[in-house]
Amino acid sequence: MSRKLNLRERYQRMTRDLAWEPSYQSKSDIYPQMEFEGIKIEDWDKWEDPFRLTMDAYWKYQAEKERKLYSIIDAFAQNNGHLNVTDARYVNALKLFLTGVSPLEYAAHRGFAMVGRQFAGVGTQVACQMQSIDELRHVQTQVHTISHYNKYFNGFHDFRHMHDRVWYLSVPKSFFDDAMSAGPFEFITAISFSFEYVLTNLLFMPFMSGAAFNGDMATVTFGFSAQSDESRHMTLGLEVIKFMAEQHPDNIPIIQKWIDKWFWRGYRLLTLVGMMMDYMLPKKVMSWREAWEIYFEQNGGALFEDLARYGLRMPKYWEQTIEGKDHITHQAWGIFYNYTHAAAFHTWIPDDEELDWLSAKYPDTFDQYYRPRFEYWREQAEAGNRFYNPTLPMLCQTCQIPMGFTEPGNPTTIGFRASDFDGNRYHFCSDGCKDIFDNEPQKFCQSWMPVHQIYQGNCGGATVPDVLNWYHLNFGVDNFDYAQSPDRQHWQQWKGEPAEESDAPDEAA
Ligand code: FE
Ligand code: ZN
């Protein structure tokens, strides 16, 4: 009698048929987070699983990926693959990735496990469970890959500890903390849709192509391995939005508000990636401006045209990002150049060829606003006055980035917004960040603001070395300009390059 089940039937048996109607517990007790966000789901069976993947098939595919990945990583390590990168400056992009992005993979693993438990539909539960396991795999492959670099370069040694403490890592950390402390429907809109569906190409494409262009085959390998899971994640993101939108018209304004919020948070977070593309890759892939045009303006534009039939529109303030694409990466690099004595990676002034590349890629802004600034800083460094900013910056209460972005329409004035809540005043870098706070002030007034915490004495002490010690950052080794770094000295020795006369060493601020 036994007939082999086809894929669809098999999928049905292995997923949907595992569910049952509870008889002695109420659904609201089993799934206590299903209602407070206001999202109405009338029929969970309307959920269409885009990938009809059973668990046994899932394990088989993933195991195959792992085998390939780890054999390449082993070969990379045995052949001293790190010596093939373009230039040791490149490795600073990996430091940012390991300390800033990899812990987010772990956070995603936790987040999807939590929401998978909360959703009342089996199809959604299975999709979330698989993604949760994927994300755990991603963080593991990244740690294994990058561990090789830790043997030869500084700044990698305590990435997990740094992620929870270092001022600029509070930007990515707070992004995921915000999502994980929201409800399950907001989490999945934030991460699966706004981040993975709309913006993920702007994270992975630059890092992976950047790695390939700069001879880092180890990173390319984990990147491709993760990317093959990513297509499943992106499909989940789109499915979630369509499912919520089709379930009840009351869901639309709630979803729109989340899209507005998470688009802006994602855009701010991606400033770090854009800065990496424009400044940290010795061999450039494309400019941030070009990437934003392709991956957001064109692809995102088409997506939102498609979603218009549900009554969803482009994220609020998207117009500001069109102007911002000409500015934000230069402003961010300027901030890090000023504060690199307190960072676990090095900065530098682009060389003449790189400055020319930036002038060509940013014809409307670079020569007018940014090139003179970098040339002046370079002159100062060459005269022995490499500038490190001795005061701490004001941070935006929402995105936690130092207030260095300029006003729309006025690129020489720093943007600045404020709100009063419960007897205190809070500050923001932009309209987008102010709106997010104003919608949830009880949440955002609790943000762990690195600069406030330092001034309150909660970060190891009152001097920069005290704070860096608390960060587990090795003073004089992990920080300061690339020109004076041990990384650079080692690189020159390994490559047999004559040590250039380095700029005058700087005293700590
Ligand atoms: Fe991931
Ligand atoms: Zn902000």
Side-chain angles (χ1 to χ4, degrees):
M1 66 145 269
S2 74
R3 173 180 67 85
K4 238 188 151 188
L5 299 173
N6 70 31
L7 205 63
R8 198 193 174 92
E9 290 165 333
R10 201 174 146 70
Y11 178 73
Q12 189 74 21
R13 300 279 165 88
M14 299 285 281
T15 54
R16 303 301 179 85
D17 291 355
L18 295 176
W20 64 90
E21 281 303 309
S23 54
Y24 59 89
Q25 293 285 350
S26 72
K27 279 210 165 168
S28 60
D29 284 342
I30 299 173
Y31 303 111
Q33 296 183 15
M34 276 301 85
E35 274 158 29
F36 79 95
E37 296 171 278
I39 292 289
K40 295 175 181 159
I41 304 296
E42 290 178 332
D43 183 3
W44 278 103
D45 281 338
K46 290 269 161 53
W47 172 271
E48 282 295 334
D49 305 302
F51 291 88
R52 300 209 162 81
L53 193 57
T54 57
M55 264 299 159
D56 56 342
Y58 172 81
W59 291 119
K60 210 177 96 203
Y61 292 142
Q62 300 303 89
E64 188 52 37
K65 287 183 202 171
E66 297 274 277
R67 262 194 298 278
K68 285 184 191 146
L69 173 82
Y70 285 106
S71 63
I72 296 175
I73 299 307
D74 283 349
F76 182 84
Q78 282 161 19
N79 295 311
N80 286 325
H82 61 279
L83 293 176
N84 295 329
V85 303
T86 36
D87 174 348
R89 289 183 304 165
Y90 164 76
V91 176
N92 291 287
L94 289 182
K95 297 176 191 179
L96 198 51
F97 195 97
L98 183 70
T99 54
V101 180
S102 302
L104 301 190
E105 303 273 17
Y106 187 72
H109 152 68
R110 291 179 62 205
F112 279 97
M114 290 193 289
V115 298
R117 168 62 187 85
Q118 290 302 329
F119 285 125
V122 185
T124 335
Q125 291 170 354
V126 171
C128 288
Q129 185 188 7
M130 284 181 186
Q131 179 154 358
S132 176
I133 301 166
D134 290 341
E135 302 297 1
L136 189 58
R137 187 178 88 82
H138 295 173
V139 63
Q140 288 169 341
T141 61
Q142 289 165 24
V143 172
H144 281 144
T145 305
I146 296 176
S147 70
H148 177 76
Y149 287 93
N150 180 44
K151 296 182 186 136
Y152 300 96
F153 299 91
N154 298 309
F156 291 108
H157 57 279
D158 217 349
F159 73 98
R160 198 64 197 75
H161 177 93
M162 288 184 187
H163 186 71
D164 288 334
R165 298 191 178 196
V166 176
W167 58 278
Y168 56 91
L169 298 175
S170 198
V171 175
K173 180 183 164 69
S174 74
F175 179 93
F176 249 91
D177 281 358
D178 183 3
M180 280 201 286
S181 55
F185 288 107
E186 182 178 347
F187 176 88
I188 205 158
T189 305
I191 305 305
S192 296
F193 179 73
S194 296
F195 202 71
E196 304 223 76
Y197 196 84
V198 184
L199 299 173
T200 202
N201 283 325
L202 286 150
L203 177 68
F204 264 87
M205 184 286 302
F207 268 108
M208 298 321 139
S209 317
F213 268 51
N214 289 279
D216 174 11
M217 296 329 284
T219 297
V220 172
T221 307
F222 84 63
F224 275 119
S225 192
Q227 198 68 356
S228 63
D229 298 336
E230 216 59 43
S231 53
R232 195 156 20 83
H233 302 174
M234 290 173 74
T235 313
L236 174 62
L238 191 58
E239 184 53 36
V240 160
I241 290 294
K242 290 184 171 170
F243 176 68
M244 288 192 292
E246 282 165 5
Q247 284 289 312
H248 203 286
D250 289 358
N251 294 343
I252 302 298
I254 303 173
I255 301 169
Q256 184 68 56
K257 199 158 242 184
W258 289 337
I259 290 175
D260 292 346
K261 170 183 174 181
W262 288 99
F263 166 77
W264 191 261
R265 291 220 64 176
Y267 167 65
R268 277 294 185 243
L269 179 61
L270 288 173
T271 305
L272 295 174
V273 180
M275 172 185 98
M276 188 271 300
M277 297 173 75
D278 284 345
Y279 287 89
M280 300 176 79
L281 298 178
K283 208 167 158 198
K284 319 280 189 220
V285 178
M286 62 166 71
S287 65
W288 165 253
R289 175 195 163 112
E290 290 166 318
W292 191 249
E293 284 169 357
I294 296 170
Y295 295 110
F296 178 67
E297 291 175 47
Q298 290 172 23
N299 297 359
L303 168 69
F304 281 98
E305 262 170 45
D306 194 39
L307 292 175
R309 67 194 149 106
Y310 296 115
L312 294 168
R313 52 155 176 76
M314 282 282 269
K316 201 174 174 188
Y317 302 125
W318 69 271
E319 300 91 337
Q320 291 190 17
T321 70
I322 306 304
E323 183 183 337
K325 75 185 173 198
D326 276 316
H327 297 278
I328 59 172
T329 62
H330 319 303
Q331 293 167 351
W333 190 246
I335 293 170
F336 278 101
Y337 183 83
N338 273 243
Y339 287 103
T340 201
H341 56 303
F345 64 88
H346 305 296
T347 57
W348 53 88
I349 294 291
D351 64 27
D352 285 333
E353 206 180 303
E354 290 166 330
L355 289 172
D356 290 345
W357 183 86
L358 288 161
S359 296
K361 293 294 181 183
Y362 293 95
D364 304 329
T365 52
F366 193 71
D367 285 351
Q368 195 177 348
Y369 302 111
Y370 303 106
R371 188 166 182 145
R373 205 178 295 180
F374 289 128
E375 285 174 342
Y376 175 73
W377 286 339
R378 179 167 65 185
E379 255 170 53
Q380 291 299 306
E382 282 167 0
N385 305 317
R386 170 43 163 113
F387 180 66
Y388 296 109
N389 197 325
T391 61
L392 303 184
M394 177 182 269
L395 305 177
C396 170
Q397 185 75 21
T398 301
C399 70
Q400 308 215 1
I401 297 176
M403 306 279 259
F405 296 117
T406 47
E407 251 336 303
N410 187 352
T412 55
T413 301
I414 301 283
F416 185 87
R417 301 287 180 278
S419 291
D420 291 312
F421 175 71
D422 205 13
N424 283 307
R425 171 153 290 200
Y426 298 90
H427 304 94
F428 313 98
C429 69
S430 54
D431 298 316
C433 282
K434 175 176 157 60
D435 277 13
I436 293 168
F437 179 94
D438 289 345
N439 284 326
E440 300 169 89
Q442 296 89 345
K443 182 175 196 176
F444 284 92
C445 75
Q446 302 175 59
S447 297
W448 193 89
M449 306 295 291
V451 168
H452 297 191
Q453 293 296 325
I454 291 170
Y455 278 136
Q456 287 170 40
N458 298 328
C459 303
T463 68
V464 172
D466 289 340
V467 174
L468 299 189
N469 198 29
W470 186 78
Y471 287 170
H472 290 189
L473 203 149
N474 292 328
F475 195 85
V477 175
D478 299 333
N479 57 346
F480 293 117
D481 198 298
Y482 177 72
Q484 288 96 49
S485 67
D487 270 6
R488 181 182 183 228
Q489 271 175 22
H490 297 151
W491 183 255
Q492 286 170 337
Q493 284 163 12
W494 298 332
K495 302 298 273 187
E497 288 168 11
E500 288 164 44
E501 201 179 306
S502 90
D503 304 330
D506 294 275
E507 296 308 316

